[in-house]
């Protein structure tokens, strides 16, 4: 979050001017535009059917058409939206509750900060593998339940891995993203102080009213921005649904990978086209999140 | 332009050298190999290979790498990957970008459909296999060596070993396993939820589907030549009908499939299913000795036979260290490397060389190899071998399986 570093002081400082700013950001811009822009450009070329080494040289939108006309498109897109929005929603609720519970307790903050940084640093791949070992029908949790006699055999254990509701995937994402949302919201709440809440209390606002009319307006823009970032990430991430998802239907990134790595090279442009569709959804989410950040700033809430 | 011409000349030269090598009385042959050995010295060979089989990794890193270092001064580095198809994709991109030298991969472990793709897109260096001195130990008249899944090898790859499908079961849990595909299908219907196969295009899942296809077809040999379209359509449709109807009796009701044989093997070891499938006859014994399977695990082949194939190594067109890669490929065929590889305590992979071409002393060493408790005797395996169908059949079966069985269209 570049904006997170900006404070009121930074904004009142003299503007360095566009050329200076560009020069200062040049190294970062080169990497971002060169690697990602270049990759997107080459990807766009191939998705339009330009793959000279296998004799494909004609530009056309037919690969996008193939993807969108495929009956799997809506299924896979729906599944991806479902997984991303449910896991973002659950992570948001838990994150807000956790942040509210922690506001103001400065002494415990350091401990909590440390605990919350653990999920942030553990790679998705590791936690996905852990979920398989813990929650599959022959996993540790199931064995523990069998040992204490709550269930008789693995098939009675609820399906949470490779299941049709994506439970394992959602658990993994919630575990990973709660700390991120909590820390984003906590930063706003702590900045704001407790005066408004105390004022509301003196006006006899009940718990719900205090949340609805004081807390929510304060955190809304930054919570929204954080959620959109989490949504964008989970929408485009590959490894967790690949390991924990069903064989079919599959999420968009897994679908893109399947097509891209298909032994039939003619399927590659379709894989890349799927990837570009994912990129569009992710880009829209990021733009929306920036819009929310701007709203927050205009209201004087500092992210 | 000129560079590619030079390359073509070199390639031509290589072919000619190869032809000379085939002439036993040519005195120059030995010198050319000496040249290659000379240039290979000090090279680092990056070997891209499927890394999912611990005993293979241990053999490559613990035996082959030190041996080629000591003998030829070659540093061999294994680059474990999950699917060689990814490397082929990468090579294709490099070919497209004109990156004709300095490629990262020097040697590939490859066969079947990936070989076909690589060969058809000119992604391989060679022919080189006929230059290797140890090639005289290989029986090139065997159909599974001459053709790799129906695709003529033409010395673009060098054999490394061979494999055959076996079914793995636990004779405590399943004292009387079904001995043919017909009986297995019945068994699955009578034991819902206790059988699974990996989802094609996974290699092992795909070979299981080919067994069903062969079972429906009855006549295996008919598929070796050019494909009879109407016959394929009829046989495939019947195979997929059987598999669609079988799905509700599979693990998880056929709603999801294990993604690869490792996952299937884990399900088997955890008692979720009663069979595992392996393309490596000695894998079960190895897993017993590693403590992953109980000692009561055994293997069997179907009465009608199981599919077998040869696996190869190949050199990418833009490999940086082609000489080193050739020397490694040759060493892999040496009697000692093949013997070590065949030892069940090491890997237990079938030799790629024809053991009968060795002198009696070496033949005896192969005969004396200990056999893992779950591994079938060579003669049982060899008398139950079916060839792989050409890769275009394999690819069609994989694609059609996804549509007709997985998606039920």
């Amino acid at each position: 979050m570049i904006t997170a570093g900006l404070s009121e002081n930074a904004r009142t400082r003299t503007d360095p001017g566009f050329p200076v700013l560009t020069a200062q950001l040049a190294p970062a811009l080169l990497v971002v535009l060169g690697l990602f822009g270049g990759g997107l450009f080459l990807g766009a070329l191939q998705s339009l059917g330009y793959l000279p080494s296998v004799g494909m040289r004609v530009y056309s939108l037919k690969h996008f058409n193939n993807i969108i006309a495929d009956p799997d498109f809506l299924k896979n897109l729906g599944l991806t939206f479902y997984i991303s929005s449910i896991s973002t929603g659950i992570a948001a609720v838990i994150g807000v509750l956790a942040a509210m519970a922690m506001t103001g307790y400065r002494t415990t903050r350091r401990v909590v900060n440390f605990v919350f940084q653990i999920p942030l640093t553990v790679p998705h791949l590791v936690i996905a593998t852990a979920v398989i070992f813990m929650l599959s029908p022959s996993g540790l949790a199931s064995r523990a339940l069998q040992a204490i006699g709550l269930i008789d055999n693995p098939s009675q254990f609820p399906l949470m891995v490779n299941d049709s509701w994506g439970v394992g995937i959602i658990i993994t994402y919630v575990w990973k993203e709660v700390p991120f949302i909590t820390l984003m919201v906590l930063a706003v709440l702590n900045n704001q102080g407790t005066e408004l809440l105390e004022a509301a209390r003196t006006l006899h606002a009940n718990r719900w009213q205090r949340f609805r009319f004081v807390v929510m307006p304060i955190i809304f823009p930054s919570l929204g921005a954080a959620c959109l970032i989490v949504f964008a990430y989970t929408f485009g991430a590959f490894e967790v649904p690949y390991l924990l998802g069903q064989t079919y239907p599959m999420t968009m990134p897994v679908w893109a990978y399947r097509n891209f790595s298909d032994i039939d090279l003619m399927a590659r442009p379709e894989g890349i086209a799927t990837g570009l569709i994912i990129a569009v959804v992710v880009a829209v989410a990021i733009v929306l999140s920036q819009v929310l950040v701007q709203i927050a700033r205009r209201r004087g809430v500092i992210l | 332009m000129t560079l590619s011409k030079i390359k073509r000349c070199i390639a031509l030269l290589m072919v000619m050298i190869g032809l000379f090598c085939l002439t036993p009385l040519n005195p120059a042959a030995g010198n050319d190999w000496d040249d290659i050995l000379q240039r290979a010295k000090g090279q680092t060979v990056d070997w891209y290979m499927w890394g999912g089989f611990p005993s293979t990794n241990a053999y490559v890193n613990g035996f082959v790498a030190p041996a080629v270092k000591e003998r030829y001064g070659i540093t061999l580095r294994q680059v474990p990957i999950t699917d060689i198809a990814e490397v082929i994709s990468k090579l294709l991109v490099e070919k497209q970008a004109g990156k004709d030298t300095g490629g990262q991969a020097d040697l590939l472990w490859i066969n079947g459909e990936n070989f076909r793709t690589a060969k058809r897109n000119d992604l391989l260096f060679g022919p080189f296999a006929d230059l290797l001195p140890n090639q005289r130990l290989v029986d090139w008249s065997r159909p599974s060596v001459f053709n790799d899944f129906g695709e003529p090898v033409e010395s673009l790859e060098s054999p490394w070993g061979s494999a055959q499908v076996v079914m793995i079961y636990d004779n405590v849990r399943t004292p009387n396993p079904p001995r043919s595909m017909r009986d297995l299908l019945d068994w699955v219907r009578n034991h819902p939820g206790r059988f699974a196969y990996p989802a094609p295009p996974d290699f092992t899942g795909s070979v299981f589907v080919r067994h069903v296809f062969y079972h429906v077809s009855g006549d295996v040999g008919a598929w070796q030549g050019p494909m009879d379209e109407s016959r394929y359509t009829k046989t495939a449709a019947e195979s997929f009908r059987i598999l669609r109807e079988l799905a509700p009796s599979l693990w998880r009701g056929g709603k999801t499939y294990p993604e690869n044989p490792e996952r299937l093997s884990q399900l088997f070891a955890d008692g979720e299913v009663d069979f595992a499938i392996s393309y490596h006859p000695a894998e079960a014994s190895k897993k017993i000795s590693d403590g992953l399977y109980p000692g009561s695990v055994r293997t069997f082949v179907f009465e009608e036979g199981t599919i077998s194939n040869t696996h190869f190594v190949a050199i990418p067109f833009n490999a940086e260290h082609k000489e080193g890669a050739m020397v490694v490929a040759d060493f892999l065929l040496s009697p000692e490397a093949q013997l070590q590889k065949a030892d069940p305590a090491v890997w237990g992979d079938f030799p790629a060389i024809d053991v009968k071409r060795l002198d009696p002393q070496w033949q005896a060493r192969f005969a004396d190899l200990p056999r893992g408790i779950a591994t079938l005797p060579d003669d049982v395996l060899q008398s139950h071998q079916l060839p792989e169908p050409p890769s275009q059949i394999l690819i069609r079966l994989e694609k059609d399986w996804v549509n007709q069985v997985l998606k039920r269209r």
Side-chain angles (χ1 to χ4, degrees):
Chain A
M1 289 283 78
I2 300 168
T3 47
L6 284 177
S7 70
E8 205 62 50
N9 290 338
R11 247 180 289 154
T12 51
R13 236 184 269 149
T14 12
D15 198 317
F18 186 71
V20 180
L21 205 62
T22 315
Q24 284 170 339
L25 289 176
L29 281 177
L30 270 181
V31 173
V32 172
L33 293 180
L35 284 180
F36 290 94
L40 273 180
F41 175 72
L42 289 177
L45 272 188
Q46 293 196 18
S47 68
L48 292 172
Y50 188 73
L51 208 64
S53 60
V54 290
M56 295 167 72
R57 287 169 202 279
V58 185
Y59 295 94
S60 81
L61 283 171
K62 77 166 190 231
H63 304 290
F64 282 96
N65 278 338
N66 286 350
I67 286 294
I68 293 169
D70 192 315
D72 292 346
F73 177 72
L74 281 182
K75 251 186 185 172
N76 293 343
L77 189 69
L79 178 73
T80 318
F81 262 109
Y82 157 78
I83 287 176
S84 302
S85 30
I86 296 288
S87 39
T88 307
I90 297 177
V93 171
I94 300 178
V96 169
L97 291 177
M100 282 167 64
M102 280 184 241
T103 323
Y105 298 105
R106 302 212 175 253
T107 39
T108 50
R109 276 249 311 277
R110 214 168 287 159
V111 181
V112 171
N113 263 344
F114 174 73
V115 171
F116 270 48
Q117 265 159 25
I118 296 172
L120 284 176
T121 48
V122 174
H124 280 85
L125 208 57
V126 172
I127 174 68
T129 313
V131 165
I132 292 183
F133 284 134
M134 292 299 298
L135 300 181
S136 72
S138 47
L140 268 178
S142 166
R143 281 169 206 226
L145 289 182
Q146 280 179 73
I148 59 172
L150 274 178
I151 58 173
D152 300 327
N153 60 62
S155 61
Q156 288 171 326
F157 190 76
L159 281 187
M160 291 196 265
V161 172
N162 310 117
D163 60 309
S164 32
W165 293 102
V167 177
I169 306 172
I170 291 170
I171 290 176
T172 308
Y173 281 150
V174 168
W175 189 83
K176 273 290 290 180
E177 315 308 352
V178 159
F180 174 67
I181 293 183
T182 309
L183 294 178
M184 290 279 282
V185 172
L186 194 59
V188 180
L189 287 179
N190 279 332
N191 246 332
Q192 206 65 27
T194 51
E195 293 83 358
L196 277 175
L197 282 173
E198 279 154 14
R201 212 188 287 245
T202 57
L203 296 170
H204 297 289
N206 64 24
R207 213 174 246 265
W208 165 250
Q209 285 168 325
R210 290 201 301 271
F211 174 75
R212 171 67 187 82
F213 297 107
V214 179
V215 176
M216 209 46 198
I218 295 172
I219 62 168
F220 175 72
S222 42
L223 174 66
C227 283
L228 281 163
I229 289 167
V230 168
F231 178 87
Y233 182 85
T234 50
F235 194 89
F238 162 77
E239 65 271 48
V240 177
Y242 181 70
L243 283 172
L244 299 177
Q246 259 187 316
T247 315
Y248 174 81
M250 55 194 115
T251 65
M252 297 291 281
V254 176
W255 196 30
Y257 169 79
R258 286 267 158 82
N259 276 329
F260 186 78
S261 62
D262 196 299
I263 191 67
D264 177 8
L265 293 167
M266 302 298 158
R268 284 186 70 151
E270 282 164 26
I272 299 171
T274 317
L276 288 177
I277 294 172
I278 298 168
V280 168
V281 175
V282 169
V284 167
I286 294 298
V287 167
L288 282 179
S289 123
Q290 281 310 303
V291 168
L292 285 174
V293 168
Q294 291 306 321
I295 292 175
R297 279 207 192 161
R298 213 165 298 148
R299 284 193 195 167
V301 176
I302 295 127
L303 272 181
Chain B
M1 205 59 187
T2 41
L3 199 68
S4 75
K5 257 183 200 159
I6 294 172
K7 279 222 178 86
R8 224 166 282 160
C9 285
I10 294 175
L12 198 69
L13 205 67
M14 289 289 197
V15 176
M16 287 167 68
I17 293 169
L19 289 174
F20 278 129
C21 281
L22 288 177
T23 325
L25 291 176
N26 177 26
N31 293 335
D32 290 331
W33 183 249
D34 286 344
D35 278 353
I36 290 173
L37 284 177
Q38 202 57 47
R39 268 177 287 160
K41 203 168 207 147
Q43 290 187 344
T44 297
V45 173
D46 284 322
W47 187 0
Y48 281 61
M49 58 187 292
W50 183 64
F53 206 21
S55 39
T56 311
N57 300 343
Y59 170 70
V60 169
N61 295 315
F63 173 77
V64 181
V68 294
K69 179 91 204 172
E70 190 195 331
R71 257 169 253 198
Y72 308 109
I74 294 171
T75 308
L76 179 67
R77 287 194 303 208
Q78 184 204 29
V79 184
I81 46 166
T82 54
D83 192 344
I84 196 78
E86 289 162 16
V87 182
I88 302 296
S89 289
K90 195 159 163 271
L91 285 174
L92 191 74
V93 173
E94 291 178 355
K95 180 109 193 167
Q96 216 170 309
K99 192 184 178 193
D100 289 339
T101 50
Q104 285 174 332
D106 296 308
L107 197 62
L108 312 172
W109 186 18
I110 193 172
N111 74 351
E113 51 206 273
N114 292 309
F115 170 65
R116 180 170 175 264
T117 309
K119 187 184 165 193
R120 302 252 162 129
N121 289 291
D122 294 322
L123 302 180
L124 297 178
F125 160 78
F128 76 94
D130 43 14
L131 302 179
L132 313 179
N134 280 326
Q135 214 58 241
R136 69 196 152 78
L137 299 173
V138 176
D139 180 2
W140 281 89
S141 68
R142 263 171 60 201
S144 73
V145 179
F146 185 80
N147 286 328
D148 182 357
F149 287 70
E151 183 74 30
V153 171
E154 293 168 354
S155 285
L156 288 169
E157 46 180 8
S158 165
W160 183 25
S162 65
Q164 183 172 357
V165 173
V166 294
M167 301 294 297
I168 299 172
Y169 71 105
D170 183 335
N171 71 10
V172 171
R173 269 193 267 161
T174 321
N176 293 307
R179 297 284 176 178
S180 65
M181 182 51 87
R182 180 185 307 278
D183 292 349
L184 176 68
L185 295 173
D186 285 338
W187 187 95
V188 175
R189 290 182 196 109
N190 295 329
H191 299 79
R194 304 296 303 167
F195 183 81
Y197 57 94
D202 170 77
F203 195 67
T204 306
S206 170
V207 80
F208 176 78
V209 172
R210 294 199 286 285
H211 280 98
V212 176
F213 180 79
Y214 276 171
H215 160 70
V216 170
S217 158
D219 180 9
V220 171
W223 302 105
Q224 285 302 302
M227 188 168 93
D228 176 347
E229 182 65 38
S230 69
R231 194 172 168 171
Y232 168 82
T233 316
K234 228 179 94 202
T235 315
E238 175 63 9
S239 312
F240 293 133
R241 191 192 60 76
I242 292 180
L243 288 172
R244 259 199 313 274
E245 286 176 16
L246 194 70
S249 313
L250 294 174
W251 174 75
R252 298 277 187 96
K255 286 203 182 69
T256 190
Y257 291 79
E259 56 264 47
N260 50 40
E262 292 78 51
R263 191 73 198 283
L264 176 63
S265 158
Q266 196 187 334
L267 291 176
F268 171 69
D270 286 341
E272 283 198 57
V273 296
D274 288 327
F275 295 94
I277 308 166
S278 176
Y279 216 134
H280 304 277
E283 189 191 334
S285 299
K286 179 75 181 140
K287 286 225 161 90
I288 293 174
S289 68
D290 288 348
L292 294 171
Y293 285 168
S296 50
V297 164
R298 296 290 181 273
T299 60
F300 68 91
V301 288
F302 297 131
E303 278 158 9
E304 66 267 32
T306 55
I307 292 174
S308 73
N309 76 51
T310 304
H311 49 92
F312 298 82
V313 291
I315 303 173
F317 70 101
N318 62 358
E320 179 96 66
H321 302 118
K322 298 189 172 81
E323 295 83 8
M326 285 167 74
V327 173
V328 171
D330 184 60
F331 175 74
L332 292 175
L333 283 172
S334 65
E336 55 176 319
Q338 290 279 319
L339 180 76
Q340 180 81 7
K341 183 169 70 77
D343 186 340
V346 179
W347 175 6
D349 187 49
F350 270 23
I353 56 173
D354 181 6
V355 176
K356 289 194 286 294
R357 295 188 181 198
L358 298 170
D359 53 40
Q361 180 193 345
W362 274 105
Q363 288 194 31
R365 286 189 202 158
F366 275 91
D368 289 346
L369 277 178
R371 184 159 291 281
I373 187 166
T375 312
L376 296 168
D378 280 354
D379 57 329
V380 173
L381 287 168
Q382 268 157 11
S383 58
H384 289 86
Q385 285 184 346
L386 305 176
E388 280 282 9
S391 35
Q392 68 262 35
I393 290 190
L394 181 150
I395 292 170
R396 294 247 327 242
L397 282 174
E398 288 176 354
K399 281 213 176 326
D400 293 350
W401 181 87
V402 169
N403 283 321
Q404 302 192 21
V405 181
L406 188 63
K407 302 181 183 170
R408 296 173 170 273
R409 288 209 188 117

